[in-house]
Amino acid sequence: DGVYRAAEGVLEEIRAPTGESIADVLCFHVDDVGDVWMGTSSAELLRWCDGSLDRVKLSIGLTAHSVHGIVRDDEGFWWMATDRGVVRADPADLAAAADGATSPIRGQVIGTDDGMYSAQCSSGRQPVCGRSGNGSLWFATTKGATMIDPAQFRLNDLPPGGRRAAGQLYLSLRA
């Protein structure tokens, strides 16, 4: 178990700051500046940046316990296949959290209330998500594939029925 990188022709293990092996990585994603992000099964994202490993606890704004895949849309948002649905987040918010910011990550969770047959995205095999030539995003779930067109994605600030509780944000995938 563990995560390794090739350095000068030799495999070198990437370890947690505590010296422990990283054993729960489910996926990798390289961002626009070359940092390597890792989705895990332990309620966090990991970022390998400039030779160090940073952790983003998903509990500071996202409801997922595991991240199975990450795909970028045309506007730069990351869409993550998770055990609790598809999560859309701004990578700048995730980078800020990795740098130590404690403000909540602004993310949107898409699940069965938004039309998915299952909010549980598949894991164990890769890839579990991808982007087609027209920009549509595809996610493997336990009950089949889900397609999301980010160009049609709209935030809806009213819950079903039209009443809003303070601080809640609701989503709509319909144009």
Side-chain angles (χ1 to χ4, degrees):
D1 286 344
V3 175
Y4 295 82
R5 70 181 187 114
E8 298 179 20
V10 176
L11 285 181
E12 174 184 277
E13 185 174 12
I14 297 172
R15 293 184 172 265
T18 59
E20 299 172 58
S21 291
I22 303 166
D24 59 352
V25 172
L26 300 174
C27 68
F28 293 91
H29 179 77
V30 179
D31 68 15
D32 293 340
V33 296
D35 295 341
V36 178
W37 291 80
M38 297 168 248
T40 73
S41 61
S42 58
E44 61 188 3
L45 282 171
L46 304 176
R47 178 184 67 174
W48 178 253
C49 173
D50 297 326
S52 66
L53 188 71
D54 304 307
R55 296 179 184 273
V56 176
K57 295 288 185 188
L58 298 180
S59 60
I60 63 168
L62 306 177
T63 61
H65 290 163
S66 60
V67 176
H68 308 165
I70 304 168
V71 63
R72 182 183 182 276
D73 72 14
D74 290 334
E75 292 184 20
F77 287 97
W78 288 4
W79 297 71
M80 296 174 273
T82 77
D83 61 323
R84 301 277 177 97
V86 174
V87 175
R88 176 185 178 260
D90 187 331
D93 289 346
L94 298 170
D99 290 336
T102 57
S103 57
I105 298 168
R106 296 169 300 174
Q108 296 81 40
V109 180
I110 299 164
T112 56
D113 288 344
D114 302 297
M116 291 178 69
Y117 288 115
S118 172
Q120 173 72 38
C121 289
S122 298
S123 67
R125 294 186 176 21
Q126 290 291 330
V128 297
C129 56
R131 188 171 114 181
S132 64
N134 68 0
S136 296
L137 307 178
W138 291 82
F139 299 89
T141 74
T142 57
K143 292 188 178 178
T146 293
M147 188 274 295
I148 298 172
D149 182 359
Q152 298 297 317
F153 182 79
R154 303 288 181 266
L155 292 176
N156 176 7
D157 65 353
L158 292 177
R163 295 189 328 223
R164 177 178 24 177
Q168 290 183 326
L169 183 67
Y170 296 85
L171 306 175
S172 174
L173 295 179
R174 294 170 183 84

